[in-house]
């Protein structure tokens, strides 16, 4: 079964600095998708960034970028120029192509210090 | 453009009771997925509805059932509530895309269910 592991329950970063959140996953599939979702205290999950496994180029969305290492089954999220509004729970998620069951990690709570 | 909405926001029930949660998808979306998020954990997939049919189901007992209406809105029903059913229930809608790009799921704010 596919599993997603986030080994950092909590992370802290100074405002304007850079932080990297880790995620590893276990799968025997070759075609899949990876996501990072943000969940602020308002509870609404917001998509931050997504990556198709067949793409070698790492996805980037403004201050957010990923380091996708397919062989190592690693999918880390880098947040540059951290802002106070980035404080939230961050979830890494995996979905196999052709499968509608999205698997989430346990989350990393990010604190941004002013 | 209306996003995903869920009702009610909070709900308190007692063991053995039944509950119905509601979800309206984002405008233009035809697929609805339901997730259970226990405190301190990531969401777990319950099931997905498309064209008024349950398309896929996660590892949840038959006490969890759903329905999708012609307007694509959806309900999640839980019978014989247990204390362990206390959680945040999230609804997500999507519009499957042709080709290799994954459909993006847009989440609602959730319904917090407390079972006493």
């Amino acid at each position: 079964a596919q599993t997603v592991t986030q080994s950092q329950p909590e992370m802290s970063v100074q405002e304007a600095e850079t932080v990297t959140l880790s995620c590893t996953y276990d799968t025997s599939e070759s075609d899949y998708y990876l996501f990072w979702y943000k969940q602020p205290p308002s509870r609404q999950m917001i998509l931050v960034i997504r990556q198709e496994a067949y793409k070698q180029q790492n996805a980037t969305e403004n201050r957010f970028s990923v380091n996708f290492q397919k062989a190592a089954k690693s999918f880390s999220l880098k947040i540059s120029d951290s802002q106070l509004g980035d404080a939230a729970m961050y979830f890494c998620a995996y979905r196999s192509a052709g499968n509608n069951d999205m698997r989430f990690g346990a989350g990393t709570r990010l604190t941004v210090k002013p | 453009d209306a996003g995903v909405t869920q009702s009610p926001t909070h709900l308190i029930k007692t063991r053995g009771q039944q509950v119905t949660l509601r979800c309206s998808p984002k405008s233009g979306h035809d697929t609805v997925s339901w997730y259970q998020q226990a405190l301190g954990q990531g969401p777990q997939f319950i099931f997905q509805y498309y064209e008024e049919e349950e398309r896929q189901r996660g590892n949840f007992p038959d006490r969890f059932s759903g329905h999708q209406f012609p307007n694509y809105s959806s309900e999640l029903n839980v019978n014989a509530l247990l204390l362990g059913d206390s959680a945040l229930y999230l609804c997500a809608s999507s519009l499957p895309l042709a080709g290799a790009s994954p459909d993006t799921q847009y989440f609602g704010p959730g319904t917090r269910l407390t079972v006493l």
Side-chain angles (χ1 to χ4, degrees):
Chain A
Q2 297 89 358
T3 58
V4 178
T5 302
Q6 293 180 250
S7 59
Q8 305 154 317
E10 297 184 359
M11 290 286 284
S12 178
V13 63
Q14 206 71 33
E15 193 176 7
E17 298 294 312
T18 296
V19 65
T20 298
L21 308 184
S22 301
C23 172
T24 58
Y25 57 94
D26 182 26
T27 184
S28 58
E29 304 284 336
S30 60
D31 193 10
Y32 52 86
Y33 312 111
L34 297 164
F35 306 84
W36 277 99
Y37 278 90
K38 167 186 177 182
Q39 188 176 41
S42 66
R43 308 180 321 198
Q44 190 146 9
M45 297 277 263
I46 302 165
L47 179 68
V48 175
I49 199 166
R50 69 185 187 195
Q51 174 84 40
E52 291 91 331
Y54 68 88
K55 290 186 177 179
Q56 292 187 348
Q57 187 173 5
N58 290 323
T60 299
E61 289 287 343
N62 301 313
R63 299 183 295 108
F64 300 86
S65 61
V66 298
N67 183 6
F68 173 46
Q69 301 289 328
K70 191 171 184 178
K73 296 179 184 175
S74 171
F75 183 61
S76 61
L77 174 70
K78 185 172 82 171
I79 306 174
S80 303
D81 185 27
S82 296
Q83 300 175 359
L84 295 177
D86 294 335
M89 283 291 289
Y90 284 81
F91 292 95
C92 178
Y94 163 100
R95 184 167 73 82
S96 175
N99 192 317
N100 304 299
D101 179 354
M102 192 151 62
R103 304 293 177 96
F104 285 83
T108 295
R109 181 175 301 281
L110 178 66
T111 302
V112 181
K113 298 179 179 178
Chain B
D1 182 18
V4 180
T5 60
Q6 292 186 245
S7 64
T9 305
H10 296 90
L11 203 53
I12 299 175
K13 292 286 187 178
T14 56
R15 281 177 296 175
Q17 284 190 311
Q18 178 265 343
V19 68
T20 297
L21 310 182
R22 296 176 176 81
C23 171
S24 291
K26 183 177 170 64
S27 179
H29 286 186
D30 61 3
T31 301
V32 173
S33 303
W34 286 93
Y35 294 84
Q36 179 195 66
Q37 186 178 17
L39 195 62
Q41 297 182 23
Q44 282 193 291
F45 176 76
I46 301 174
F47 42 53
Q48 184 180 83
Y49 275 83
Y50 171 69
E51 292 188 341
E52 302 180 50
E53 296 285 333
E54 183 183 288
R55 182 156 70 175
Q56 188 167 349
R57 188 180 186 90
N59 189 25
F60 278 81
D62 292 344
R63 298 187 297 110
F64 290 77
S65 62
H67 188 77
Q68 186 178 33
F69 299 94
N71 66 353
Y72 308 124
S73 67
S74 177
E75 289 181 348
L76 164 66
N77 301 293
V78 187
N79 294 322
L81 284 167
L82 304 174
L83 295 179
D85 295 332
S86 295
L88 179 67
Y89 288 85
L90 296 168
C91 167
S93 73
S94 57
L95 181 63
L97 301 172
S101 296
D103 55 293
T104 296
Q105 295 194 3
Y106 294 83
F107 284 81
T111 294
R112 172 74 65 191
L113 172 65
T114 301
V115 182
L116 302 177

